[in-house]
Amino acid sequence: MKVSGLGGRLAVGLGGIPIAIGAIAYGGWLLTVLVAFLAAAATWELGGLGEAKGIRVFHSLSMGGSVLLVCLANTFPSFSAWAPWALGVLGLLLFLSAMVTLRLRTAEERPLLVSALTVLGTLYWGGGFSFAIFLRHYPDWSGWPGAWWLSPGPVLLAFPIAVTWSSDTSAFIFGSLLGRRKLAPSISPKKSVEGAIASLLTSILVGGFMGGVFLALDPDRLMSTFWGGGIGALLAITVQFGDLIESHFKREAGVKDSGRLFPGHGGALDRFDALVFTLPLAYALVAFLGGVQ
């Protein structure tokens, strides 16, 4: 039986939300393994888009690099400590992929694009998803007097996830029901202006709520309902651009979905196209407000 549309989305959500909540609450290697799996799956799918245009990437190198970046984030749960290692991994990956093209790709098979896309997949997904680990575990909240599962770390990570998910869902529902004016018809014909407005308003409300929760947990920091709503608005705009960027990639490749990992959603690339941008942005904004020290 084929599951599609809103029913498929709800089915995946009902199964995936408890897993996500458990991983966010527990953190550690449980969260790392989940994030690494999703990063590897999305990296594979991004390479698949390239293959649709004749660019045969080295999946093992690209996926392995993504997993390694996420695992390094768990080992060095600070962007400043992780960044030199990540740069080293990307440099090594570029060298290895370029070297392998000497043997396995002819000049007609575009070795430059093969190497570039191999490294891009790792940077895009391994690098972007590493910020989930940074938000959850940095700074160290071990001294927080509250419950271990209800502390600033999990809330920091849940913030962009909740905003991204609610933004995407409201855009889909209200766009389907009320959408009349196309947002970017040449890139994604189904996206509407009405859906984008609903996405923005929903994100402001959810962001304000999450900011209020964070303020209640740690009143000494600058996060508040007001700032939470503002961050929610910026994340909503990023969600729209993230969706459009992925739609643009798929249109170039000539495919409807990047994969079939999630019934009703497509692949990991389809489902988390915006989150790979909102996670780093949320980290930067919270750090700017003093939420991360």
Side-chain angles (χ1 to χ4, degrees):
M1 178 178 178
K2 184 178 180 180
V3 182
S4 61
L6 183 58
R9 288 173 174 249
L10 292 176
V12 172
L14 291 175
I17 288 176
I19 296 175
I21 291 176
I24 292 171
Y26 188 80
W29 281 107
L30 177 61
L31 175 63
T32 300
V33 169
L34 176 61
V35 171
F37 168 76
L38 294 174
T43 302
W44 171 276
E45 293 170 3
L46 183 64
L49 296 184
E51 289 182 339
K53 300 299 291 184
I55 305 170
R56 297 190 297 128
V57 304
F58 299 116
H59 286 293
S60 57
L61 289 177
S62 191
M63 294 170 65
S66 289
V67 171
L68 182 56
L69 287 187
V70 174
C71 290
L72 284 173
N74 186 64
T75 304
F76 304 99
S78 160
F79 177 75
S80 59
W82 170 86
W85 290 91
L87 184 61
V89 168
L90 293 172
L92 178 61
L93 186 62
L94 177 59
F95 172 74
L96 290 176
S97 60
M99 184 177 64
V100 175
T101 61
L102 296 175
R103 177 72 176 176
L104 300 180
R105 299 290 186 270
T106 65
E108 290 72 22
E109 292 178 297
R110 294 181 285 183
L112 176 60
L113 290 180
V114 169
S115 299
L117 189 55
T118 298
V119 177
L120 177 63
T122 293
L123 175 62
Y124 199 140
W125 290 102
F129 268 20
S130 292
F131 283 86
I133 311 298
F134 302 148
L135 284 167
R136 174 59 181 82
H137 294 292
Y138 180 67
D140 184 6
W141 300 104
S142 58
W144 183 257
W148 65 274
W149 53 270
L150 186 59
S151 60
V155 174
L156 276 179
L157 176 53
F159 192 124
I161 294 176
V163 170
T164 301
W165 180 80
S166 60
S167 173
D168 184 59
T169 302
S170 62
F172 176 79
I173 293 176
F174 286 96
S176 299
L177 296 176
L178 305 174
R180 297 293 183 271
R181 291 168 291 181
K182 301 298 182 182
L183 182 64
S186 63
I187 299 175
S188 183
K190 292 185 178 181
K191 295 188 182 301
S192 67
V193 174
E194 292 80 3
I197 293 174
S199 168
L200 177 63
L201 295 177
T202 301
S203 297
I204 292 174
L205 292 175
V206 173
F209 172 77
M210 297 298 292
V213 170
F214 191 90
L215 179 64
L217 289 171
D218 193 347
D220 293 331
R221 296 180 185 268
L222 295 179
M223 182 63 72
S224 65
T225 301
F226 173 79
W227 287 113
I231 291 176
L234 292 176
L235 292 180
I237 296 172
T238 306
V239 168
Q240 294 299 319
F241 277 107
D243 288 341
L244 290 173
I245 289 170
E246 197 242 349
S247 296
H248 206 37
F249 289 164
K250 290 192 296 182
R251 183 167 289 274
E252 179 187 0
V255 300
K256 181 178 182 296
D257 294 323
S258 64
R260 300 180 179 179
L261 185 61
F262 302 107
H265 295 270
L269 193 64
D270 298 305
R271 192 64 192 97
F272 302 106
D273 52 358
L275 198 61
V276 75
F277 295 112
T278 57
L279 285 171
L281 177 60
Y283 181 88
L285 291 173
V286 173
F288 176 75
L289 291 174
V292 178
Q293 298 179 346

